[in-house]
Amino acid sequence: MSIEEWYKSLPIVTRTYVTMSFLTTAGCALEIITPFNVYFNAKLVFKKLELWRLVTNFFFFGNLGLDFVFHMFFLIKYCKSLEEGSFRGRSADFLWMLLFGGGLLTAIAPFVNIQFLGSSLTFMMVYVW
C-alpha cells in the first residue's frame, strides 16, 4: 500500500484533523506562520475577536521531531480506531464528540493556563477509546 492509498483510506474526520495538524505544525516549523498566531488566548479571542484561535490551537503539536511523530502516531491510531469502531458509519457523531470535547477543553483552558490543546484532545480520544 502506497502512502497515497493509506492516506485516502483514513476516515474523513481523521484525515482532515491529521492534515490540518500536520500543515499547522509544519507551517510553524518552516516559519510560514508563528505559534504566536495560533495559540489560545481568551483575551485576544473575546477582546480583539481573533476567533481563529478557538480552532487553530488544536492543530499545533510543537516542533517537528520525535515528539511530533509520537503525537501524530497516537492521533492517527486512536482517532481512526474510534471513527472506524465505536463511530462506524457515524462520522458526524464523531465530529460532534470532538467539537464537544474541544469546547469543554476551551472552556477550562483559561483557568489552567494551557495555550495549545491538541495534546489534550488526543488524550481525550485515548480515554474514550
Side-chain angles (χ1 to χ4, degrees):
M1 177 182 287
S2 70
I3 292 177
E4 181 181 1
E5 291 170 340
W6 169 80
Y7 178 75
K8 288 183 178 180
S9 73
L10 291 174
I12 186 69
V13 176
T14 301
R15 183 172 54 228
T16 303
Y17 189 46
V18 168
T19 301
M20 294 302 296
S21 297
F22 178 78
L23 290 175
T24 302
T25 304
C28 289
L30 296 171
E31 297 181 0
I32 297 169
I33 56 174
T34 174
F36 293 112
N37 290 335
V38 298
Y39 79 99
F40 177 73
N41 183 324
K43 289 179 184 175
L44 293 175
V45 169
F46 296 112
K47 290 185 179 178
K48 295 195 176 191
L49 292 177
E50 295 181 3
L51 300 177
W52 67 86
R53 294 178 186 275
L54 293 170
V55 177
T56 56
N57 71 87
F58 288 101
F59 300 137
F60 181 72
F61 285 92
N63 296 327
L64 290 179
L66 192 57
D67 186 51
F68 175 73
V69 171
F70 278 114
H71 273 101
M72 289 298 101
F73 172 77
F74 283 116
L75 179 65
I76 292 167
K77 179 177 175 28
Y78 293 108
C79 197
K80 181 181 176 184
S81 294
L82 280 172
E83 195 170 357
E84 290 181 340
S86 302
F87 292 93
R88 180 178 272 310
R90 299 180 304 139
S91 292
D93 290 342
F94 180 62
L95 178 62
W96 177 246
M97 182 199 73
L98 291 179
L99 292 173
F100 182 75
L104 289 176
L105 290 169
T106 300
I108 294 169
F111 302 107
V112 292
N113 199 25
I114 297 176
Q115 286 80 30
F116 298 105
L117 299 169
S119 297
S120 301
L121 190 64
T122 302
F123 289 130
M124 181 200 78
M125 285 186 270
V126 171
Y127 180 79
V128 171
W129 179 75

